[in-house]
């Protein structure tokens, strides 16, 4: 069934995106691709919540800086729906290190941070956006960040041209 290819993915605009005032620019890219926003809120994660969201990274050397970064201000949490949305949004986001992220990607166009610089300063890579890396992780992250009644099913006016 073609409908099985329609996925939901979790997207978070990190504190640097909110504080730089480029949330609108980033969301526009998601809308321009014909993806549908089915949940969105502003939220300020604390240390405990950060450890849940980044449970795979808690033991890694960069986690301390990552937690400081992600809890440093409010984020925009979103659930985005579309055909193979997990893969599509990761493609739009680009590589983790903005220095290497290609032009045309969100991290490549709006940031230029590098591992070498971040590591020397003992801070996280400031790369604006998180997106789930698999359908399994998308499901976990969506249920961590959103209650069922915060997610919405509706039709966009241009849906007939996309689906
Ligand atoms: O976000 P993405 O899935 O591309 O990368 P990740 O490997 O899952 O790492 C999560 C986040 O940790 C990154 O987006 C960076 O903000 C941060 N990070 C870092 O500061 N230094 C590293 N060496 C690796 C990741
Ligand atoms: Mg990741």
């Amino acid at each position: 069934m073609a409908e099985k290819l329609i996925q939901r993915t979790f997207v978070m605009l990190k504190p640097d995106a909110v504080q730089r005032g480029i949330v609108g620019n980033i969301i526009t890219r998601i809308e321009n691709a014909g993806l549908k926003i089915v949940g969105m809120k502003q939220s300020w994660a604390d240390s405990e919540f950060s450890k849940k969201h980044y449970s795979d990274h808690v033991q890694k050397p960069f986690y301390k800086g990552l937690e400081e970064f992600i809890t440093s201000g409010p984020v925009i949490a979103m659930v985005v729906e579309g055909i193979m949305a997990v893969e599509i949004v990761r493609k739009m986001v680009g590589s983790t290190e903005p220095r290497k992220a290609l032009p045309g990607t969100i991290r490549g166009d709006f940031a230029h941070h590098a591992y070498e610089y971040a590591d020397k300063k003992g801070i996280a890579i400031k790369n604006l956006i998180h997106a789930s890396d698999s359908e399994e992780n998308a499901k976990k992250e969506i249920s961590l960040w959103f209650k069922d009644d915060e997610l919405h099913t509706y039709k966009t006016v241009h849906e007939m041209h996309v689906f």
Side-chain angles (χ1 to χ4, degrees):
M1 249 185 22
E3 276 66 31
K4 283 207 171 132
L5 297 177
I6 297 176
Q7 299 174 338
R8 287 182 168 185
T9 189
F10 174 71
V11 175
M12 171 182 42
L13 308 184
K14 296 179 178 181
D16 52 342
V18 175
Q19 289 167 29
R20 287 178 53 193
I22 54 172
V23 159
N25 273 310
I26 296 172
I27 293 173
T28 294
R29 289 180 174 222
I30 291 168
E31 291 182 319
N32 283 348
L35 292 157
K36 189 183 347 182
I37 295 163
V38 296
M40 180 157 67
K41 62 184 172 186
Q42 190 170 48
S43 176
W44 194 325
D46 61 13
S47 165
E48 193 187 339
F49 198 85
S50 170
K51 287 186 178 72
K52 285 186 189 159
H53 173 74
Y54 281 124
S55 57
D56 291 346
H57 294 322
V58 171
Q59 303 303 331
K60 296 185 182 163
F62 63 83
Y63 179 75
K64 187 175 172 284
L66 177 57
E67 182 181 301
E68 276 168 16
F69 171 40
I70 224 68
T71 60
S72 67
V75 302
I76 303 295
M78 303 185 348
V79 178
V80 172
E81 185 180 286
I83 301 159
M84 300 176 181
V86 172
E87 178 191 318
I88 292 289
V89 175
R90 289 284 289 192
K91 178 189 70 172
M92 292 170 68
V93 164
S95 303
T96 304
E97 186 186 25
R99 171 194 180 193
K100 290 280 165 65
L102 293 177
T105 66
I106 293 164
R107 287 167 170 171
D109 285 350
F110 293 107
H112 71 278
H113 228 215
Y115 285 133
E116 205 178 333
Y117 179 84
D119 290 350
K120 282 201 167 83
K121 288 201 85 170
I123 59 173
I125 281 279
K126 306 290 178 73
N127 58 7
L128 302 168
I129 181 165
H130 165 89
S132 307
D133 62 5
S134 67
E135 204 172 4
E136 189 193 340
N137 282 336
K139 288 194 171 112
K140 276 192 215 157
E141 291 168 3
I142 290 168
S143 64
L144 174 66
W145 285 83
F146 286 90
K147 298 186 200 119
D148 284 349
D149 67 4
E150 292 176 315
L151 300 175
H152 304 286
T153 299
Y154 65 97
K155 288 226 179 292
T156 58
V157 286
H158 59 274
E159 203 155 301
M160 63 175 149
H161 301 297
V162 182
F163 297 115

